[in-house]
Amino acid sequence: QVHLVESGGGLVQPGGSLRLSCATSGIISNINAMGWYRQTPGNQRELVATITRGGSANYEESVKGRFTISGEYAKNTVYLQMNSLKPEDTAVYYCQMRGTFWNLWGQGTQVTVSS
């Protein structure tokens, strides 16, 4: 069974940057879209950014201008470059990849923004 493997989370000071990566553990095909979501305790998972195979990106309002999503569909890999991080960006970040009839989630990586 194919899994999504995330990396790049950690502790960063306000104003700092982090880059999250997510890749598949095996070969899968026909990925239609890739994205990143985040979740804080007691809250629902929320969309951060998505990118389609055609390159169309969509961002949650609070991260526009600070976060950039990119995808390498040939490598089954998606990235999230996070700049100008704020304490309110603290959350567990999950990557997602989906095809027409399937949907995969990563295990989550903690991002903590604190001085």
Side-chain angles (χ1 to χ4, degrees), residues 1-37:
Q1 187 175 0
V2 177
H3 303 280
L4 300 186
V5 181
E6 299 155 349
S7 61
L11 173 65
V12 64
Q13 291 187 342
S17 299
L18 283 174
R19 187 186 194 219
L20 305 183
S21 301
C22 174
T24 60
S25 61
I27 298 173
I28 56 175
S29 59
N30 299 321
I31 299 173
N32 292 338
M34 299 189 285
W36 290 93
Y37 293 71

Side-chain angles (χ1 to χ4, degrees), residues 32-85:
N32 292 338
M34 299 189 285
W36 290 93
Y37 293 71
R38 65 188 179 187
Q39 189 171 21
T40 54
N43 293 309
Q44 291 187 336
R45 195 170 297 184
E46 65 173 8
L47 180 146
V48 176
T50 60
I51 186 166
T52 66
R53 176 177 287 277
S56 177
N58 179 51
Y59 295 92
E60 193 271 328
E61 193 65 33
S62 70
V63 308
K64 286 182 179 178
R66 300 189 297 122
F67 291 10
T68 302
I69 188 171
S70 59
E72 292 188 68
Y73 278 81
K75 296 182 179 181
N76 292 349
T77 303
V78 61
Y79 305 96
L80 185 68
Q81 178 66 44
M82 305 185 292
N83 299 327
S84 301
L85 282 160

